[in-house]
Amino acid sequence: MYVLAATKPAEACSSPGRARVRVVLVVVVAMKLVVAGVDLETVVELSPAAKAEAAAFSPYSSPSTAVLLRRRVVAWAKETGCPATVRVRVADRSFDLHKDPLASKCGYFSEALLESGDVELPASFPGGSEAFEAIALFCYGDAVALDPFNVAAVRCAAEFLGVGGLGARCDLYINQVVLQSWDDALIVLQRCQPLLPVAEELLIVSRCVESLAFMACMEILDPEQRRDQPGAVGARELVGRRWDAELVKELAARDLWIKDLIALPFEFFERIVQALRRQGMKEKYVSPVVLFYANKWVLSKKTHKFWATTDEAVDGETDANRRAAAIMEGVIALLPVEAAASGAIPVAFYFALLSRSLTLELSDQSQTRLREQVAANLQFARVDDLPLPEQETDRPIADSREVRAVESIVSNHVVSVQRKGAEAVAELWDRYLLQIASDPKLRPERLSELIGVIPVGDRKSHNHLYEAINTYLVEHRGLSGEEKATLCGHLDCRKLSHEACIQAVQNDRMPLRLIVQALFVQQLHTHRAFTECSDSFRCVNSGELVAGAGAYTPSPGCPAIPTSQPLSGSSPYESHHAPRDARLRARDDASDYETASFRIQALEQEIISLKRTLQRHNTLKGSARRDGGNKEPSFRVATDANAPAAIKRRATVSGSCIGSMRWGSQRRCANRILRVFARLAVFGRGRSRGKQSKCRAATEQLNCM
């Protein structure tokens, strides 16, 4: 009988894809012969080259091995006249064989047959009944057809039974045929999984791993492919995008060698990755392979569903989580921390692992390592990368495990000694709070706690924080004035943009204190803009010489623009006072802001005292009406014609918020506040007369409003 080969030794390394096609052709030919009713034992006339090839290779020799063994046992009984007196049981199959062939070439049977003719091989026998058929056929003197599908099992079985000659032939076949072909090495490595640890002791796994790693490096360096960054190109397409498992699956299918590697069991995949790094493959090629493997076996919902519904799973969901957790711990150990910074792995992948780890039971070491990797790449993250609960529950979003995990990571990043990108992390956290603030079940104390995770000095801008607080106030309209003041106390109007200040001034949901501070900062911005515009106007026109004037004199605080520039040295008209003037203006602005804040607090206390007086007056007036005028209250407002005009014009103020008053009452209250401002000299006491005149002009303008 002749059997077609799976691959040719000369073509194995150069065209790994062609070998796969040849295996498929062999299967198709065999199926056609069976369907046509042709016995596979029939001798088929082949060419001399095909006969030589068929004598050395046999990809599907298992069915014919059993037939050849039965025919050989019958022939041996006819030649010697001795019946088969030995029964060997392997798993659920029994073989009736002769004692002399087994005892002469097999050391295991030479000792076992001394006691009895009935031998049962232990459960640890590698290869099972198919491997024993090849061993028995070799003992009867026939050649064994080796192929990538049975060579590992035959080699392990020969080692177990002590068949020396067959073991040497298997090693020769592995070295000269299997290790020269990408497909054959993959097949042998996959067949070694049920043969462990014997296959590991015989170095079959190690040789296949090193061979696959070497051929993968050659695939990367192949000049005919003309790809500068295979594998890494697919990973870089994910940078700056939200994590999508299906898209990652499509990118992994672009390179066939990556698709083959991620189909391996993790114990073999881990060793191949280590071999790739050991043989010098760059990390930008290795890290995407790890990413694709994790996406297939850990992050894919289809894989999790398959594991949960398979027949092997006793408790579907628990077994699936257990298998995913084991693979995920190995993946975390393979990931380098600096991969995201170099662009080899997108930051979204780390957060996808973090989100998946919350549903799995990982070891403390793996959880700590994963969170350290996430914290190290936190400055490169986008707000879409941060996890949020997928399903709505009765609990607030801020109390979910996703938000608490991110809060813990950000807190550890804040207190770390070697933290980087503090401003970027602060902005990221404020954007994250903006997504959480719309939750109607969020408590103000919890929001204030989340805001305090970031130190005050790390926030370069408070725009996103203002948006988050404003969103929370929109969704929670029943907050008290104290709760609003507590939340808005985290805002610093000096770190708001000009547009945000304008919006804060016009926002009736904000407390009065914040509105006044925003108004003051807006005036500072306007004053600074006018000053810069005036300075630049003077700088532009400082080069024009006035007719009849003397020597050119530059404007104070403005660098000169001479008509000609010397060839060496600096300009003699260069001014060094502008930076100092800018620092003085900034210091004055800060001093004015602090003074205004202090006086605003005093103003608030005065307003609160006034409101209490008015409320007490309303209470007494109401009680006087109920008593019918018998008792005269201790404090009342005169309503007769002789009462002072100021008391008549004073309106009754009720409620806990100025925003609830009528427009006329608000206007009168605003006029009174402006008078207090003028009396306290909010915009600077003891300043120059020019600034006092500006203050009076601003007061008159506000009064006109």
Side-chain angles (χ1 to χ4, degrees), residues 228-282:
D228 296 333
Q229 296 175 345
V233 175
R236 288 191 175 183
E237 292 183 7
L238 300 172
V239 177
R241 304 180 61 175
R242 197 168 186 174
W243 183 260
D244 187 357
E246 295 299 325
L247 176 61
V248 177
K249 182 179 179 181
E250 295 177 2
L251 295 176
R254 293 182 179 180
D255 295 315
L256 294 179
W257 67 277
I258 294 179
K259 187 176 180 180
D260 291 338
L261 290 184
I262 64 177
L264 292 173
F266 182 76
E267 54 266 29
F268 298 149
F269 175 79
E270 180 182 15
R271 297 184 59 174
I272 291 179
V273 171
Q274 295 173 353
L276 291 174
R277 290 171 175 164
R278 187 169 54 251
Q279 294 188 14
M281 181 179 285
K282 296 181 180 180

Short mmCIF file of all heavy atoms in Angstrom, two decimals, residues 228-282:
data_model
loop_
_atom_site.label_atom_id
_atom_site.label_comp_id
_atom_site.label_asym_id
_atom_site.label_seq_id
_atom_site.Cartn_x
_atom_site.Cartn_y
_atom_site.Cartn_z
N ASP A 228 6.85 46.52 6.48
CA ASP A 228 7.79 47.08 7.44
C ASP A 228 7.46 46.64 8.86
O ASP A 228 8.35 46.39 9.66
CB ASP A 228 7.77 48.62 7.37
CG ASP A 228 8.25 49.12 6.02
OD1 ASP A 228 9.03 48.39 5.39
OD2 ASP A 228 7.83 50.22 5.62
N GLN A 229 6.19 46.54 9.19
CA GLN A 229 5.81 46.23 10.56
C GLN A 229 4.63 45.26 10.57
O GLN A 229 3.48 45.64 10.84
CB GLN A 229 5.43 47.51 11.32
CG GLN A 229 6.59 48.47 11.48
CD GLN A 229 6.16 49.76 12.12
OE1 GLN A 229 4.98 50.04 12.19
NE2 GLN A 229 7.09 50.55 12.57
N PRO A 230 4.85 44.03 10.23
CA PRO A 230 3.73 43.08 10.29
C PRO A 230 3.33 42.82 11.73
O PRO A 230 4.16 42.76 12.61
CB PRO A 230 4.32 41.82 9.65
CG PRO A 230 5.79 41.97 9.81
CD PRO A 230 6.10 43.43 9.79
N GLY A 231 2.07 42.66 11.95
CA GLY A 231 1.59 42.43 13.31
C GLY A 231 1.43 43.72 14.07
O GLY A 231 0.37 44.02 14.60
N ALA A 232 2.49 44.53 14.12
CA ALA A 232 2.39 45.80 14.83
C ALA A 232 1.49 46.79 14.11
O ALA A 232 0.95 47.70 14.71
CB ALA A 232 3.78 46.40 15.00
N VAL A 233 1.35 46.62 12.77
CA VAL A 233 0.48 47.53 12.02
C VAL A 233 -0.95 47.38 12.49
O VAL A 233 -1.67 48.35 12.70
CB VAL A 233 0.60 47.24 10.51
CG1 VAL A 233 -0.39 48.09 9.73
CG2 VAL A 233 2.02 47.51 10.04
N GLY A 234 -1.39 46.15 12.67
CA GLY A 234 -2.75 45.93 13.14
C GLY A 234 -3.00 46.50 14.52
O GLY A 234 -4.05 47.06 14.79
N ALA A 235 -2.00 46.41 15.42
CA ALA A 235 -2.16 46.95 16.76
C ALA A 235 -2.18 48.47 16.74
O ALA A 235 -2.89 49.10 17.51
CB ALA A 235 -1.04 46.44 17.67
N ARG A 236 -1.40 49.07 15.86
CA ARG A 236 -1.38 50.53 15.81
C ARG A 236 -2.67 51.10 15.26
O ARG A 236 -3.00 52.26 15.51
CB ARG A 236 -0.20 51.00 14.95
CG ARG A 236 1.14 50.80 15.64
CD ARG A 236 2.26 51.49 14.91
NE ARG A 236 3.50 51.39 15.65
CZ ARG A 236 4.64 51.97 15.26
NH1 ARG A 236 4.67 52.65 14.13
NH2 ARG A 236 5.73 51.84 15.99
N GLU A 237 -3.40 50.33 14.51
CA GLU A 237 -4.70 50.80 14.05
C GLU A 237 -5.71 50.93 15.18
O GLU A 237 -6.74 51.58 15.03
CB GLU A 237 -5.25 49.85 12.98
CG GLU A 237 -4.46 49.88 11.68
CD GLU A 237 -5.08 48.99 10.61
OE1 GLU A 237 -6.19 48.48 10.86
OE2 GLU A 237 -4.46 48.82 9.56
N LEU A 238 -5.42 50.32 16.33
CA LEU A 238 -6.31 50.38 17.47
C LEU A 238 -6.01 51.56 18.38
O LEU A 238 -6.79 51.83 19.30
CB LEU A 238 -6.22 49.08 18.28
CG LEU A 238 -6.58 47.79 17.54
CD1 LEU A 238 -6.26 46.59 18.41
CD2 LEU A 238 -8.03 47.79 17.13
N VAL A 239 -4.89 52.24 18.18
CA VAL A 239 -4.51 53.36 19.04
C VAL A 239 -5.48 54.51 18.81
O VAL A 239 -5.77 54.89 17.68
CB VAL A 239 -3.07 53.80 18.75
CG1 VAL A 239 -2.70 55.01 19.59
CG2 VAL A 239 -2.11 52.65 19.03
N GLY A 240 -5.99 55.05 19.92
CA GLY A 240 -6.93 56.17 19.83
C GLY A 240 -8.35 55.76 19.51
O GLY A 240 -9.18 56.63 19.24
N ARG A 241 -8.65 54.48 19.57
CA ARG A 241 -10.00 54.00 19.27
C ARG A 241 -10.51 53.19 20.45
O ARG A 241 -9.74 52.69 21.28
CB ARG A 241 -10.01 53.13 18.00
CG ARG A 241 -9.45 53.81 16.78
CD ARG A 241 -9.48 52.91 15.56
NE ARG A 241 -10.82 52.51 15.19
CZ ARG A 241 -11.11 51.82 14.11
NH1 ARG A 241 -10.15 51.44 13.27
NH2 ARG A 241 -12.36 51.49 13.83
N ARG A 242 -11.82 53.07 20.50
CA ARG A 242 -12.43 52.27 21.56
C ARG A 242 -12.21 50.79 21.28
O ARG A 242 -12.15 50.37 20.12
CB ARG A 242 -13.93 52.58 21.64
CG ARG A 242 -14.57 52.13 22.93
CD ARG A 242 -15.95 52.71 23.09
NE ARG A 242 -16.53 52.39 24.36
CZ ARG A 242 -17.69 52.87 24.80
NH1 ARG A 242 -18.36 53.71 24.01
NH2 ARG A 242 -18.16 52.54 25.98
N TRP A 243 -12.10 50.01 22.36
CA TRP A 243 -11.80 48.59 22.20
C TRP A 243 -12.97 47.86 21.56
O TRP A 243 -14.12 47.98 21.97
CB TRP A 243 -11.49 47.97 23.56
CG TRP A 243 -11.10 46.54 23.43
CD1 TRP A 243 -11.87 45.45 23.66
CD2 TRP A 243 -9.82 46.04 23.01
NE1 TRP A 243 -11.16 44.31 23.42
CE2 TRP A 243 -9.91 44.64 23.02
CE3 TRP A 243 -8.65 46.65 22.64
CZ2 TRP A 243 -8.82 43.84 22.67
CZ3 TRP A 243 -7.57 45.86 22.29
CH2 TRP A 243 -7.66 44.47 22.31
N ASP A 244 -12.65 47.11 20.50
CA ASP A 244 -13.65 46.35 19.76
C ASP A 244 -13.08 44.96 19.50
O ASP A 244 -12.12 44.81 18.74
CB ASP A 244 -14.00 47.04 18.45
CG ASP A 244 -15.17 46.38 17.72
OD1 ASP A 244 -15.66 45.34 18.21
OD2 ASP A 244 -15.58 46.88 16.66
N ALA A 245 -13.63 43.94 20.15
CA ALA A 245 -13.08 42.58 20.05
C ALA A 245 -13.20 42.04 18.63
O ALA A 245 -12.30 41.33 18.16
CB ALA A 245 -13.80 41.65 21.04
N GLU A 246 -14.28 42.34 17.94
CA GLU A 246 -14.45 41.83 16.58
C GLU A 246 -13.45 42.46 15.62
O GLU A 246 -12.93 41.79 14.72
CB GLU A 246 -15.88 42.09 16.11
CG GLU A 246 -16.93 41.33 16.90
CD GLU A 246 -16.74 39.82 16.81
OE1 GLU A 246 -16.32 39.35 15.73
OE2 GLU A 246 -16.99 39.13 17.80
N LEU A 247 -13.18 43.74 15.79
CA LEU A 247 -12.18 44.39 14.94
C LEU A 247 -10.80 43.82 15.18
O LEU A 247 -10.03 43.59 14.23
CB LEU A 247 -12.18 45.90 15.21
CG LEU A 247 -11.13 46.72 14.47
CD1 LEU A 247 -11.31 46.60 12.97
CD2 LEU A 247 -11.18 48.17 14.90
N VAL A 248 -10.46 43.55 16.43
CA VAL A 248 -9.16 42.95 16.75
C VAL A 248 -9.06 41.55 16.14
O VAL A 248 -8.00 41.14 15.66
CB VAL A 248 -8.97 42.90 18.27
CG1 VAL A 248 -7.66 42.22 18.63
CG2 VAL A 248 -9.00 44.31 18.84
N LYS A 249 -10.15 40.83 16.13
CA LYS A 249 -10.15 39.49 15.52
C LYS A 249 -9.87 39.57 14.02
O LYS A 249 -9.12 38.75 13.47
CB LYS A 249 -11.50 38.82 15.78
CG LYS A 249 -11.61 37.42 15.24
CD LYS A 249 -12.97 36.82 15.56
CE LYS A 249 -13.10 35.42 14.99
NZ LYS A 249 -14.44 34.85 15.30
N GLU A 250 -10.44 40.56 13.35
CA GLU A 250 -10.18 40.73 11.92
C GLU A 250 -8.73 41.12 11.67
O GLU A 250 -8.11 40.66 10.70
CB GLU A 250 -11.12 41.80 11.36
CG GLU A 250 -12.59 41.40 11.40
CD GLU A 250 -13.48 42.52 10.90
OE1 GLU A 250 -12.93 43.58 10.50
OE2 GLU A 250 -14.72 42.35 10.91
N LEU A 251 -8.16 41.95 12.52
CA LEU A 251 -6.77 42.36 12.34
C LEU A 251 -5.82 41.19 12.58
O LEU A 251 -4.77 41.09 11.92
CB LEU A 251 -6.44 43.50 13.31
CG LEU A 251 -7.20 44.82 13.08
CD1 LEU A 251 -6.85 45.82 14.15
CD2 LEU A 251 -6.89 45.38 11.70
N ALA A 252 -6.16 40.30 13.50
CA ALA A 252 -5.29 39.15 13.78
C ALA A 252 -5.26 38.17 12.62
O ALA A 252 -4.27 37.44 12.45
CB ALA A 252 -5.76 38.44 15.04
N ALA A 253 -6.30 38.14 11.80
CA ALA A 253 -6.36 37.20 10.68
C ALA A 253 -5.54 37.65 9.49
O ALA A 253 -5.42 36.91 8.51
CB ALA A 253 -7.81 36.98 10.25
N ARG A 254 -4.96 38.86 9.54
CA ARG A 254 -4.17 39.33 8.39
C ARG A 254 -2.87 38.56 8.23
O ARG A 254 -2.43 38.30 7.12
CB ARG A 254 -3.87 40.82 8.56
CG ARG A 254 -5.10 41.72 8.49
CD ARG A 254 -4.71 43.18 8.61
NE ARG A 254 -5.87 44.05 8.52
CZ ARG A 254 -5.81 45.37 8.59
NH1 ARG A 254 -4.63 45.97 8.78
NH2 ARG A 254 -6.90 46.10 8.49
N ASP A 255 -2.24 38.18 9.34
CA ASP A 255 -0.98 37.43 9.30
C ASP A 255 -1.27 35.99 9.69
O ASP A 255 -1.72 35.72 10.82
CB ASP A 255 0.05 38.05 10.25
CG ASP A 255 0.45 39.44 9.81
OD1 ASP A 255 0.70 39.63 8.61
OD2 ASP A 255 0.51 40.35 10.67
N LEU A 256 -0.98 35.06 8.79
CA LEU A 256 -1.30 33.66 9.05
C LEU A 256 -0.47 33.08 10.18
O LEU A 256 -0.94 32.23 10.93
CB LEU A 256 -1.09 32.84 7.77
CG LEU A 256 -2.04 33.16 6.61
CD1 LEU A 256 -1.71 32.30 5.40
CD2 LEU A 256 -3.49 32.95 7.03
N TRP A 257 0.77 33.54 10.31
CA TRP A 257 1.61 32.99 11.38
C TRP A 257 1.08 33.41 12.75
O TRP A 257 1.15 32.64 13.72
CB TRP A 257 3.06 33.40 11.21
CG TRP A 257 3.33 34.88 11.39
CD1 TRP A 257 3.18 35.85 10.47
CD2 TRP A 257 3.79 35.50 12.59
NE1 TRP A 257 3.52 37.06 11.01
CE2 TRP A 257 3.91 36.88 12.30
CE3 TRP A 257 4.13 35.05 13.85
CZ2 TRP A 257 4.35 37.81 13.25
CZ3 TRP A 257 4.57 35.96 14.80
CH2 TRP A 257 4.68 37.32 14.50
N ILE A 258 0.50 34.62 12.86
CA ILE A 258 -0.12 35.04 14.12
C ILE A 258 -1.39 34.24 14.37
O ILE A 258 -1.67 33.82 15.50
CB ILE A 258 -0.40 36.55 14.09
CG1 ILE A 258 0.90 37.34 14.04
CG2 ILE A 258 -1.23 36.97 15.29
CD1 ILE A 258 0.71 38.84 13.99
N LYS A 259 -2.17 34.03 13.34
CA LYS A 259 -3.40 33.26 13.48
C LYS A 259 -3.11 31.83 13.95
O LYS A 259 -3.89 31.26 14.72
CB LYS A 259 -4.14 33.24 12.14
CG LYS A 259 -5.52 32.62 12.20
CD LYS A 259 -6.22 32.73 10.85
CE LYS A 259 -7.61 32.11 10.90
NZ LYS A 259 -8.30 32.20 9.60
N ASP A 260 -2.01 31.25 13.47
CA ASP A 260 -1.64 29.89 13.91
C ASP A 260 -1.17 29.88 15.35
O ASP A 260 -1.50 28.95 16.11
CB ASP A 260 -0.55 29.34 13.00
CG ASP A 260 -1.06 29.05 11.60
OD1 ASP A 260 -2.28 28.87 11.44
OD2 ASP A 260 -0.24 29.04 10.65
N LEU A 261 -0.41 30.89 15.76
CA LEU A 261 0.14 30.89 17.12
C LEU A 261 -0.94 31.09 18.17
O LEU A 261 -0.90 30.47 19.25
CB LEU A 261 1.20 31.98 17.26
CG LEU A 261 2.52 31.75 16.51
CD1 LEU A 261 3.50 32.87 16.82
CD2 LEU A 261 3.14 30.40 16.85
N ILE A 262 -1.92 31.96 17.89
CA ILE A 262 -2.93 32.22 18.91
C ILE A 262 -3.93 31.07 19.04
O ILE A 262 -4.78 31.10 19.93
CB ILE A 262 -3.67 33.53 18.61
CG1 ILE A 262 -4.44 33.43 17.30
CG2 ILE A 262 -2.72 34.71 18.59
CD1 ILE A 262 -5.26 34.68 16.98
N ALA A 263 -3.84 30.07 18.18
CA ALA A 263 -4.70 28.89 18.31
C ALA A 263 -4.10 27.83 19.21
O ALA A 263 -4.76 26.83 19.51
CB ALA A 263 -4.98 28.29 16.92
N LEU A 264 -2.86 28.03 19.66
CA LEU A 264 -2.19 27.04 20.50
C LEU A 264 -2.67 27.12 21.94
O LEU A 264 -3.16 28.16 22.39
CB LEU A 264 -0.68 27.27 20.45
CG LEU A 264 0.03 27.00 19.13
CD1 LEU A 264 1.48 27.45 19.20
CD2 LEU A 264 -0.05 25.52 18.77
N PRO A 265 -2.52 26.04 22.70
CA PRO A 265 -2.77 26.13 24.15
C PRO A 265 -1.81 27.13 24.80
O PRO A 265 -0.72 27.37 24.31
CB PRO A 265 -2.53 24.70 24.64
CG PRO A 265 -2.69 23.85 23.43
CD PRO A 265 -2.24 24.67 22.27
N PHE A 266 -2.23 27.68 25.93
CA PHE A 266 -1.45 28.77 26.50
C PHE A 266 -0.07 28.33 26.96
O PHE A 266 0.89 29.10 26.88
CB PHE A 266 -2.21 29.40 27.68
CG PHE A 266 -1.47 30.57 28.28
CD1 PHE A 266 -1.44 31.79 27.63
CD2 PHE A 266 -0.77 30.42 29.48
CE1 PHE A 266 -0.74 32.86 28.18
CE2 PHE A 266 -0.09 31.48 30.02
CZ PHE A 266 -0.07 32.71 29.37
N GLU A 267 0.06 27.09 27.46
CA GLU A 267 1.38 26.66 27.93
C GLU A 267 2.39 26.64 26.80
O GLU A 267 3.58 26.95 27.02
CB GLU A 267 1.30 25.30 28.60
CG GLU A 267 0.66 24.21 27.76
CD GLU A 267 -0.81 24.08 28.04
OE1 GLU A 267 -1.44 25.09 28.41
OE2 GLU A 267 -1.34 22.95 27.88
N PHE A 268 1.96 26.34 25.59
CA PHE A 268 2.86 26.37 24.44
C PHE A 268 3.02 27.80 23.90
O PHE A 268 4.12 28.20 23.50
CB PHE A 268 2.34 25.45 23.34
CG PHE A 268 2.28 24.01 23.73
CD1 PHE A 268 1.33 23.15 23.20
CD2 PHE A 268 3.16 23.49 24.67
CE1 PHE A 268 1.26 21.82 23.56
CE2 PHE A 268 3.11 22.15 25.04
CZ PHE A 268 2.16 21.33 24.49
N PHE A 269 1.93 28.55 23.89
CA PHE A 269 2.01 29.94 23.41
C PHE A 269 2.96 30.76 24.28
O PHE A 269 3.74 31.58 23.77
CB PHE A 269 0.62 30.55 23.42
CG PHE A 269 0.60 32.01 23.07
CD1 PHE A 269 0.69 32.42 21.74
CD2 PHE A 269 0.50 32.97 24.06
CE1 PHE A 269 0.68 33.76 21.42
CE2 PHE A 269 0.48 34.32 23.75
CZ PHE A 269 0.57 34.71 22.43
N GLU A 270 2.89 30.57 25.57
CA GLU A 270 3.76 31.32 26.48
C GLU A 270 5.23 31.03 26.19
O GLU A 270 6.07 31.94 26.16
CB GLU A 270 3.41 30.96 27.92
CG GLU A 270 4.26 31.68 28.96
CD GLU A 270 3.91 31.25 30.36
OE1 GLU A 270 3.22 30.21 30.51
OE2 GLU A 270 4.32 31.94 31.31
N ARG A 271 5.54 29.81 25.94
CA ARG A 271 6.94 29.45 25.66
C ARG A 271 7.40 29.99 24.31
O ARG A 271 8.56 30.37 24.15
CB ARG A 271 7.09 27.93 25.71
CG ARG A 271 6.80 27.35 27.09
CD ARG A 271 7.03 25.87 27.14
NE ARG A 271 8.41 25.53 26.82
CZ ARG A 271 8.91 24.31 26.89
NH1 ARG A 271 8.14 23.30 27.28
NH2 ARG A 271 10.16 24.08 26.57
N ILE A 272 6.49 30.04 23.34
CA ILE A 272 6.87 30.60 22.03
C ILE A 272 7.14 32.10 22.16
O ILE A 272 8.08 32.63 21.56
CB ILE A 272 5.78 30.31 21.00
CG1 ILE A 272 5.74 28.81 20.68
CG2 ILE A 272 6.00 31.11 19.73
CD1 ILE A 272 4.67 28.42 19.69
N VAL A 273 6.31 32.80 22.93
CA VAL A 273 6.54 34.24 23.13
C VAL A 273 7.88 34.48 23.81
O VAL A 273 8.64 35.38 23.42
CB VAL A 273 5.38 34.84 23.95
CG1 VAL A 273 5.70 36.27 24.37
CG2 VAL A 273 4.10 34.81 23.14
N GLN A 274 8.19 33.69 24.80
CA GLN A 274 9.49 33.83 25.45
C GLN A 274 10.63 33.51 24.49
O GLN A 274 11.69 34.17 24.53
CB GLN A 274 9.55 32.92 26.68
CG GLN A 274 8.56 33.30 27.77
CD GLN A 274 8.51 32.29 28.88
OE1 GLN A 274 9.12 31.21 28.81
NE2 GLN A 274 7.76 32.60 29.94
N ALA A 275 10.43 32.53 23.62
CA ALA A 275 11.46 32.20 22.63
C ALA A 275 11.62 33.31 21.60
O ALA A 275 12.73 33.60 21.15
CB ALA A 275 11.12 30.88 21.94
N LEU A 276 10.51 33.96 21.22
CA LEU A 276 10.60 35.08 20.28
C LEU A 276 11.44 36.21 20.86
O LEU A 276 12.29 36.80 20.17
CB LEU A 276 9.20 35.59 19.95
CG LEU A 276 8.31 34.67 19.10
CD1 LEU A 276 6.91 35.25 18.97
CD2 LEU A 276 8.91 34.44 17.73
N ARG A 277 11.23 36.54 22.11
CA ARG A 277 12.03 37.59 22.74
C ARG A 277 13.47 37.15 22.93
O ARG A 277 14.40 37.96 22.81
CB ARG A 277 11.40 37.95 24.09
CG ARG A 277 10.07 38.69 23.95
CD ARG A 277 9.37 38.83 25.28
NE ARG A 277 8.15 39.65 25.13
CZ ARG A 277 7.18 39.71 26.02
NH1 ARG A 277 7.26 38.99 27.14
NH2 ARG A 277 6.12 40.47 25.81
N ARG A 278 13.67 35.89 23.23
CA ARG A 278 15.03 35.39 23.42
C ARG A 278 15.82 35.39 22.12
O ARG A 278 17.04 35.61 22.13
CB ARG A 278 14.96 33.99 24.03
CG ARG A 278 16.30 33.42 24.44
CD ARG A 278 16.14 32.17 25.26
NE ARG A 278 15.33 31.15 24.62
CZ ARG A 278 14.10 30.83 25.02
NH1 ARG A 278 13.54 31.45 26.04
NH2 ARG A 278 13.42 29.88 24.40
N GLN A 279 15.14 35.16 21.03
CA GLN A 279 15.82 35.13 19.74
C GLN A 279 15.94 36.51 19.09
O GLN A 279 16.43 36.61 17.98
CB GLN A 279 15.09 34.18 18.79
CG GLN A 279 15.16 32.72 19.23
CD GLN A 279 14.60 31.77 18.18
OE1 GLN A 279 14.39 32.16 17.04
NE2 GLN A 279 14.36 30.53 18.58
N GLY A 280 15.49 37.56 19.78
CA GLY A 280 15.76 38.91 19.32
C GLY A 280 14.64 39.60 18.59
O GLY A 280 14.87 40.68 18.03
N MET A 281 13.44 39.05 18.56
CA MET A 281 12.35 39.76 17.90
C MET A 281 11.99 41.00 18.70
O MET A 281 11.91 40.96 19.93
CB MET A 281 11.12 38.85 17.75
CG MET A 281 9.95 39.54 17.05
SD MET A 281 8.50 38.48 16.84
CE MET A 281 9.06 37.42 15.50
N LYS A 282 11.76 42.11 18.03
CA LYS A 282 11.46 43.38 18.69
C LYS A 282 10.10 43.31 19.39
O LYS A 282 9.21 42.58 18.97
CB LYS A 282 11.48 44.53 17.69
CG LYS A 282 12.86 44.76 17.07
CD LYS A 282 12.82 45.92 16.10
CE LYS A 282 14.19 46.16 15.48
NZ LYS A 282 14.20 47.30 14.52
#
